Amino acid sequence: MVTELLELMESHNNIILFGYGPSFLCAQYFEYRLRIFSNKIIVALSDEISVASIADENTLLIILTVTGTFQSFQNVCTESKKKGCDVVIVAEEYNTNLFGQCDRIFWLSKFPQPKELLPYEKTRTVFFLFFEEIIQHILHQRAQQAATADAATRQDAGAAPKRKRTRK
């Protein structure tokens, strides 16, 4: 799941992280973390008008929701898709009402949080774990690329013709 979302993120120039309420606060944190480790345009938004104004065919819209029941994502998904934007939902709890609203859904948990909690009262811990795992994958890829580049540099330096020293 982490690898699949990471591949989607890498295939787009722009990433919009979208959420309502506490999920938007998570999106802002992820925006900050991803900007540190990426050269992509990354923005966290909580209003549909802003999403519609910047979404295009080079954009991946990632919607964060714990339950998918606080407010419908149908409008933001439809308007974004009209502009050629790819849309995914990262949801903690399984909710069949989210089917058909986006291109891909990532379910983070098989089990719902306590039913007596309202959507805004539920924890977002699983979001943080999931996105920190994505950050760790990015860091690992960077380390591998740096090691490969370092090895190539050493190999090129070793392959250069050696000059003979002459004594005067």
Side-chain angles (χ1 to χ4, degrees):
M1 200 168 22
V2 169
T3 304
E4 187 178 348
L5 183 57
L6 191 55
E7 287 171 358
L8 279 169
M9 292 168 66
E10 288 172 351
S11 68
H12 292 81
N13 295 328
N14 311 318
I15 299 170
I16 299 172
L17 299 163
F18 181 82
Y20 295 117
S23 295
F24 171 63
L25 297 174
C26 294
Q28 288 179 307
Y29 174 77
F30 303 139
E31 171 192 22
Y32 164 76
R33 292 286 286 158
L34 290 169
R35 279 186 175 188
I36 293 171
F37 303 109
S38 175
N39 294 327
K40 298 188 178 292
I41 297 169
I42 302 170
V43 62
L45 298 171
S46 63
D47 69 283
E48 297 175 12
I49 294 170
S50 295
V51 172
S53 69
I54 63 174
D56 62 19
E57 65 279 353
N58 297 314
T59 303
L60 174 64
L61 172 60
I62 302 173
I63 298 172
L64 304 177
T65 181
V66 170
T67 63
T69 61
F70 179 72
Q71 189 166 338
S72 173
F73 299 108
Q74 189 65 49
N75 190 46
V76 72
C77 292
T78 302
E79 293 304 313
S80 298
K81 288 169 116 181
K82 281 181 187 176
K83 295 187 169 201
C85 179
D86 288 325
V87 181
V88 300
I89 295 177
V90 177
E92 184 171 326
E93 296 180 0
Y94 186 78
N95 178 352
T96 57
N97 292 329
L98 297 174
F99 291 144
Q101 291 189 30
C102 63
D103 300 307
R104 176 76 170 90
I105 300 175
F106 294 90
W107 306 109
L108 301 183
S109 177
K110 293 179 184 179
F111 308 102
Q113 293 186 41
K115 292 183 194 272
E116 61 271 4
L117 296 175
L118 297 171
Y120 65 88
E121 295 175 323
K122 295 184 177 191
T123 179
R124 269 65 180 170
T125 304
V126 177
F127 282 155
F128 284 98
L129 293 171
F130 181 68
F131 275 93
E132 287 300 330
E133 188 65 26
I134 288 173
I135 297 297
Q136 290 306 307
H137 274 68
I138 292 170
L139 291 173
H140 181 72
Q141 286 176 344
R142 274 186 163 182
Q144 284 182 323
Q145 290 169 349
T148 302
D150 188 42
T153 302
R154 279 193 234 142
Q155 185 177 13
D156 289 345
K162 294 184 180 180
R163 296 183 189 172
K164 290 185 180 181
R165 290 188 179 184
T166 58
R167 286 190 150 170
K168 291 185 183 181

Short mmCIF file of all heavy atoms in Angstrom, two decimals, residues 119-161:
data_model
loop_
_atom_site.label_atom_id
_atom_site.label_comp_id
_atom_site.label_asym_id
_atom_site.label_seq_id
_atom_site.Cartn_x
_atom_site.Cartn_y
_atom_site.Cartn_z
N PRO A 119 -16.94 11.63 14.22
CA PRO A 119 -15.78 11.61 13.31
C PRO A 119 -14.64 12.53 13.75
O PRO A 119 -13.48 12.16 13.69
CB PRO A 119 -16.38 12.05 11.97
CG PRO A 119 -17.78 11.58 12.03
CD PRO A 119 -18.20 11.76 13.47
N TYR A 120 -14.96 13.75 14.21
CA TYR A 120 -13.90 14.69 14.60
C TYR A 120 -13.24 14.31 15.93
O TYR A 120 -12.18 14.85 16.28
CB TYR A 120 -14.42 16.13 14.63
CG TYR A 120 -15.45 16.39 15.69
CD1 TYR A 120 -15.10 16.77 16.98
CD2 TYR A 120 -16.81 16.26 15.39
CE1 TYR A 120 -16.06 17.01 17.95
CE2 TYR A 120 -17.78 16.50 16.36
CZ TYR A 120 -17.39 16.88 17.63
OH TYR A 120 -18.34 17.11 18.58
N GLU A 121 -13.84 13.39 16.68
CA GLU A 121 -13.27 12.96 17.96
C GLU A 121 -12.31 11.78 17.81
O GLU A 121 -11.58 11.45 18.74
CB GLU A 121 -14.40 12.56 18.92
CG GLU A 121 -15.31 13.71 19.30
CD GLU A 121 -16.49 13.26 20.15
OE1 GLU A 121 -17.03 12.15 19.91
OE2 GLU A 121 -16.88 14.03 21.05
N LYS A 122 -12.32 11.16 16.66
CA LYS A 122 -11.51 9.96 16.46
C LYS A 122 -10.05 10.32 16.23
O LYS A 122 -9.73 11.37 15.70
CB LYS A 122 -12.07 9.14 15.30
CG LYS A 122 -13.47 8.61 15.62
CD LYS A 122 -14.00 7.71 14.55
CE LYS A 122 -15.38 7.17 14.98
NZ LYS A 122 -15.84 6.10 14.12
N THR A 123 -9.18 9.41 16.60
CA THR A 123 -7.75 9.64 16.47
C THR A 123 -7.31 9.55 15.01
O THR A 123 -7.94 8.86 14.20
CB THR A 123 -6.96 8.62 17.32
OG1 THR A 123 -5.57 8.88 17.13
CG2 THR A 123 -7.25 7.19 16.93
N ARG A 124 -6.24 10.22 14.70
CA ARG A 124 -5.64 10.17 13.36
C ARG A 124 -4.27 9.48 13.40
O ARG A 124 -3.46 9.64 12.51
CB ARG A 124 -5.47 11.59 12.80
CG ARG A 124 -6.64 12.13 11.99
CD ARG A 124 -7.85 12.30 12.76
NE ARG A 124 -8.97 12.84 11.95
CZ ARG A 124 -10.18 12.87 12.43
NH1 ARG A 124 -10.45 12.42 13.62
NH2 ARG A 124 -11.15 13.36 11.70
N THR A 125 -4.02 8.70 14.41
CA THR A 125 -2.73 8.05 14.61
C THR A 125 -2.33 7.19 13.41
O THR A 125 -1.18 7.21 12.97
CB THR A 125 -2.74 7.19 15.89
OG1 THR A 125 -3.12 8.02 16.98
CG2 THR A 125 -1.40 6.56 16.14
N VAL A 126 -3.27 6.47 12.84
CA VAL A 126 -2.96 5.59 11.72
C VAL A 126 -2.51 6.41 10.51
O VAL A 126 -1.62 6.00 9.77
CB VAL A 126 -4.16 4.68 11.39
CG1 VAL A 126 -3.87 3.81 10.18
CG2 VAL A 126 -4.49 3.80 12.58
N PHE A 127 -3.10 7.60 10.30
CA PHE A 127 -2.63 8.49 9.23
C PHE A 127 -1.14 8.80 9.40
O PHE A 127 -0.36 8.73 8.46
CB PHE A 127 -3.37 9.83 9.24
CG PHE A 127 -4.75 9.80 8.66
CD1 PHE A 127 -5.67 10.74 9.05
CD2 PHE A 127 -5.13 8.88 7.70
CE1 PHE A 127 -6.95 10.76 8.52
CE2 PHE A 127 -6.40 8.89 7.16
CZ PHE A 127 -7.31 9.83 7.57
N PHE A 128 -0.78 9.17 10.63
CA PHE A 128 0.61 9.55 10.89
C PHE A 128 1.55 8.37 10.65
O PHE A 128 2.61 8.53 10.05
CB PHE A 128 0.77 10.10 12.31
CG PHE A 128 0.24 11.50 12.45
CD1 PHE A 128 -1.04 11.72 12.95
CD2 PHE A 128 1.00 12.58 12.07
CE1 PHE A 128 -1.54 13.00 13.06
CE2 PHE A 128 0.51 13.88 12.17
CZ PHE A 128 -0.77 14.09 12.67
N LEU A 129 1.16 7.20 11.10
CA LEU A 129 1.99 6.02 10.88
C LEU A 129 2.15 5.74 9.38
O LEU A 129 3.26 5.47 8.90
CB LEU A 129 1.38 4.80 11.57
CG LEU A 129 1.36 4.84 13.10
CD1 LEU A 129 0.53 3.69 13.65
CD2 LEU A 129 2.77 4.78 13.64
N PHE A 130 1.07 5.83 8.65
CA PHE A 130 1.10 5.56 7.21
C PHE A 130 1.99 6.56 6.48
O PHE A 130 2.86 6.17 5.69
CB PHE A 130 -0.32 5.59 6.65
CG PHE A 130 -0.43 5.30 5.19
CD1 PHE A 130 -0.15 4.04 4.70
CD2 PHE A 130 -0.83 6.28 4.30
CE1 PHE A 130 -0.25 3.75 3.34
CE2 PHE A 130 -0.94 6.00 2.95
CZ PHE A 130 -0.65 4.74 2.47
N PHE A 131 1.81 7.84 6.73
CA PHE A 131 2.60 8.84 6.02
C PHE A 131 4.05 8.87 6.49
O PHE A 131 4.95 9.16 5.69
CB PHE A 131 1.94 10.21 6.09
CG PHE A 131 0.92 10.39 5.01
CD1 PHE A 131 -0.41 10.09 5.24
CD2 PHE A 131 1.28 10.80 3.73
CE1 PHE A 131 -1.36 10.22 4.24
CE2 PHE A 131 0.35 10.92 2.73
CZ PHE A 131 -0.98 10.63 2.98
N GLU A 132 4.31 8.56 7.73
CA GLU A 132 5.71 8.48 8.17
C GLU A 132 6.40 7.30 7.50
O GLU A 132 7.59 7.36 7.21
CB GLU A 132 5.81 8.40 9.69
CG GLU A 132 5.50 9.71 10.39
CD GLU A 132 6.43 10.87 10.01
OE1 GLU A 132 7.61 10.64 9.68
OE2 GLU A 132 5.95 12.02 10.06
N GLU A 133 5.66 6.24 7.23
CA GLU A 133 6.21 5.11 6.49
C GLU A 133 6.56 5.54 5.06
O GLU A 133 7.60 5.13 4.52
CB GLU A 133 5.23 3.94 6.48
CG GLU A 133 5.80 2.67 5.92
CD GLU A 133 6.94 2.07 6.72
OE1 GLU A 133 7.02 2.30 7.94
OE2 GLU A 133 7.76 1.35 6.11
N ILE A 134 5.73 6.37 4.46
CA ILE A 134 6.04 6.91 3.13
C ILE A 134 7.32 7.75 3.19
O ILE A 134 8.20 7.61 2.34
CB ILE A 134 4.85 7.73 2.59
CG1 ILE A 134 3.71 6.78 2.21
CG2 ILE A 134 5.26 8.60 1.40
CD1 ILE A 134 2.43 7.45 1.82
N ILE A 135 7.45 8.57 4.22
CA ILE A 135 8.66 9.39 4.39
C ILE A 135 9.88 8.49 4.53
O ILE A 135 10.93 8.74 3.93
CB ILE A 135 8.53 10.33 5.62
CG1 ILE A 135 7.39 11.33 5.44
CG2 ILE A 135 9.85 11.03 5.90
CD1 ILE A 135 7.54 12.29 4.30
N GLN A 136 9.76 7.42 5.29
CA GLN A 136 10.89 6.50 5.46
C GLN A 136 11.28 5.85 4.14
O GLN A 136 12.47 5.67 3.85
CB GLN A 136 10.56 5.43 6.51
CG GLN A 136 10.49 5.97 7.93
CD GLN A 136 11.74 6.73 8.32
OE1 GLN A 136 12.85 6.23 8.21
NE2 GLN A 136 11.56 7.96 8.77
N HIS A 137 10.31 5.52 3.30
CA HIS A 137 10.60 4.97 1.98
C HIS A 137 11.35 6.00 1.12
O HIS A 137 12.29 5.66 0.41
CB HIS A 137 9.32 4.52 1.28
CG HIS A 137 8.89 3.14 1.61
ND1 HIS A 137 8.44 2.77 2.85
CD2 HIS A 137 8.85 2.02 0.86
CE1 HIS A 137 8.14 1.49 2.85
NE2 HIS A 137 8.39 1.01 1.65
N ILE A 138 10.92 7.26 1.18
CA ILE A 138 11.59 8.32 0.42
C ILE A 138 13.03 8.46 0.90
O ILE A 138 13.96 8.55 0.08
CB ILE A 138 10.83 9.66 0.57
CG1 ILE A 138 9.47 9.57 -0.15
CG2 ILE A 138 11.66 10.82 0.02
CD1 ILE A 138 8.55 10.74 0.13
N LEU A 139 13.24 8.45 2.21
CA LEU A 139 14.60 8.56 2.76
C LEU A 139 15.47 7.38 2.34
O LEU A 139 16.64 7.55 2.00
CB LEU A 139 14.56 8.67 4.28
CG LEU A 139 13.99 9.96 4.84
CD1 LEU A 139 13.85 9.88 6.35
CD2 LEU A 139 14.86 11.14 4.43
N HIS A 140 14.89 6.19 2.34
CA HIS A 140 15.62 5.00 1.93
C HIS A 140 16.02 5.10 0.45
O HIS A 140 17.16 4.77 0.08
CB HIS A 140 14.79 3.75 2.19
CG HIS A 140 15.46 2.48 1.82
ND1 HIS A 140 16.52 1.97 2.54
CD2 HIS A 140 15.25 1.63 0.79
CE1 HIS A 140 16.93 0.85 1.95
NE2 HIS A 140 16.18 0.62 0.90
N GLN A 141 15.08 5.56 -0.38
CA GLN A 141 15.38 5.72 -1.81
C GLN A 141 16.50 6.74 -2.01
O GLN A 141 17.39 6.54 -2.83
CB GLN A 141 14.14 6.18 -2.57
CG GLN A 141 13.11 5.10 -2.78
CD GLN A 141 11.85 5.62 -3.45
OE1 GLN A 141 11.60 6.82 -3.51
NE2 GLN A 141 11.03 4.71 -3.95
N ARG A 142 16.45 7.84 -1.27
CA ARG A 142 17.50 8.86 -1.35
C ARG A 142 18.86 8.28 -0.97
O ARG A 142 19.86 8.56 -1.62
CB ARG A 142 17.20 10.02 -0.42
CG ARG A 142 16.33 11.06 -0.98
CD ARG A 142 16.27 12.18 0.01
NE ARG A 142 15.77 13.38 -0.59
CZ ARG A 142 15.65 14.52 0.04
NH1 ARG A 142 16.02 14.60 1.30
NH2 ARG A 142 15.18 15.56 -0.56
N ALA A 143 18.89 7.52 0.10
CA ALA A 143 20.15 6.93 0.56
C ALA A 143 20.70 5.97 -0.50
O ALA A 143 21.91 5.96 -0.76
CB ALA A 143 19.94 6.21 1.89
N GLN A 144 19.82 5.19 -1.11
CA GLN A 144 20.26 4.27 -2.17
C GLN A 144 20.80 5.04 -3.37
O GLN A 144 21.83 4.66 -3.94
CB GLN A 144 19.11 3.36 -2.61
CG GLN A 144 18.81 2.25 -1.64
CD GLN A 144 17.68 1.36 -2.15
OE1 GLN A 144 16.73 1.83 -2.77
NE2 GLN A 144 17.80 0.07 -1.88
N GLN A 145 20.12 6.11 -3.75
CA GLN A 145 20.57 6.91 -4.89
C GLN A 145 21.91 7.57 -4.58
O GLN A 145 22.79 7.62 -5.44
CB GLN A 145 19.52 7.97 -5.25
CG GLN A 145 18.27 7.39 -5.86
CD GLN A 145 17.14 8.39 -5.98
OE1 GLN A 145 17.20 9.49 -5.43
NE2 GLN A 145 16.09 8.00 -6.68
N ALA A 146 22.08 8.05 -3.37
CA ALA A 146 23.34 8.68 -2.98
C ALA A 146 24.47 7.66 -2.98
O ALA A 146 25.58 7.95 -3.45
CB ALA A 146 23.21 9.33 -1.60
N ALA A 147 24.20 6.46 -2.49
CA ALA A 147 25.23 5.41 -2.47
C ALA A 147 25.61 5.01 -3.88
O ALA A 147 26.79 4.80 -4.18
CB ALA A 147 24.73 4.21 -1.68
N THR A 148 24.63 4.92 -4.77
CA THR A 148 24.89 4.57 -6.17
C THR A 148 25.72 5.66 -6.85
O THR A 148 26.68 5.37 -7.56
CB THR A 148 23.57 4.35 -6.93
OG1 THR A 148 22.83 3.32 -6.28
CG2 THR A 148 23.82 3.97 -8.38
N ALA A 149 25.36 6.91 -6.61
CA ALA A 149 26.10 8.03 -7.20
C ALA A 149 27.52 8.09 -6.65
O ALA A 149 28.47 8.33 -7.40
CB ALA A 149 25.37 9.34 -6.92
N ASP A 150 27.66 7.83 -5.36
CA ASP A 150 28.98 7.83 -4.72
C ASP A 150 29.86 6.72 -5.30
O ASP A 150 31.03 6.93 -5.60
CB ASP A 150 28.84 7.68 -3.21
CG ASP A 150 30.15 7.86 -2.48
OD1 ASP A 150 30.91 8.79 -2.85
OD2 ASP A 150 30.41 7.09 -1.54
N ALA A 151 29.28 5.55 -5.48
CA ALA A 151 30.03 4.42 -6.05
C ALA A 151 30.43 4.72 -7.49
O ALA A 151 31.55 4.41 -7.91
CB ALA A 151 29.20 3.15 -5.99
N ALA A 152 29.55 5.34 -8.26
CA ALA A 152 29.86 5.70 -9.64
C ALA A 152 30.98 6.73 -9.70
O ALA A 152 31.87 6.66 -10.54
CB ALA A 152 28.62 6.21 -10.35
N THR A 153 30.95 7.69 -8.78
CA THR A 153 31.99 8.71 -8.72
C THR A 153 33.34 8.09 -8.39
O THR A 153 34.35 8.40 -9.00
CB THR A 153 31.63 9.79 -7.67
OG1 THR A 153 30.37 10.36 -8.03
CG2 THR A 153 32.69 10.86 -7.61
N ARG A 154 33.34 7.18 -7.42
CA ARG A 154 34.58 6.49 -7.06
C ARG A 154 35.09 5.65 -8.22
O ARG A 154 36.28 5.60 -8.48
CB ARG A 154 34.36 5.62 -5.83
CG ARG A 154 34.43 6.42 -4.56
CD ARG A 154 34.54 5.51 -3.37
NE ARG A 154 33.44 5.90 -2.49
CZ ARG A 154 32.70 5.09 -1.79
NH1 ARG A 154 32.92 3.80 -1.82
NH2 ARG A 154 31.74 5.53 -1.04
N GLN A 155 34.18 4.99 -8.92
CA GLN A 155 34.58 4.15 -10.05
C GLN A 155 35.16 5.02 -11.17
O GLN A 155 36.17 4.67 -11.76
CB GLN A 155 33.40 3.34 -10.57
CG GLN A 155 33.78 2.36 -11.66
CD GLN A 155 32.59 1.53 -12.10
OE1 GLN A 155 31.45 1.83 -11.78
NE2 GLN A 155 32.86 0.49 -12.85
N ASP A 156 34.51 6.15 -11.46
CA ASP A 156 35.03 7.06 -12.49
C ASP A 156 36.39 7.60 -12.10
O ASP A 156 37.28 7.72 -12.94
CB ASP A 156 34.05 8.22 -12.72
CG ASP A 156 32.78 7.79 -13.43
OD1 ASP A 156 32.76 6.68 -13.99
OD2 ASP A 156 31.80 8.56 -13.40
N ALA A 157 36.57 7.93 -10.84
CA ALA A 157 37.86 8.46 -10.38
C ALA A 157 38.94 7.38 -10.47
O ALA A 157 40.08 7.67 -10.82
CB ALA A 157 37.74 8.96 -8.94
N GLY A 158 38.59 6.15 -10.21
CA GLY A 158 39.54 5.05 -10.29
C GLY A 158 39.85 4.67 -11.72
O GLY A 158 40.92 4.14 -12.03
N ALA A 159 38.95 4.96 -12.64
CA ALA A 159 39.15 4.59 -14.03
C ALA A 159 39.97 5.62 -14.79
O ALA A 159 40.42 5.38 -15.90
CB ALA A 159 37.80 4.40 -14.72
N ALA A 160 40.16 6.80 -14.21
CA ALA A 160 40.92 7.84 -14.88
C ALA A 160 42.38 7.41 -15.04
O ALA A 160 42.93 6.75 -14.15
CB ALA A 160 40.82 9.14 -14.09
N PRO A 161 43.00 7.77 -16.12
CA PRO A 161 44.40 7.39 -16.33
C PRO A 161 45.29 8.00 -15.26
O PRO A 161 45.12 9.15 -14.87
CB PRO A 161 44.73 7.90 -17.72
CG PRO A 161 43.67 8.87 -18.08
CD PRO A 161 42.49 8.56 -17.22
#
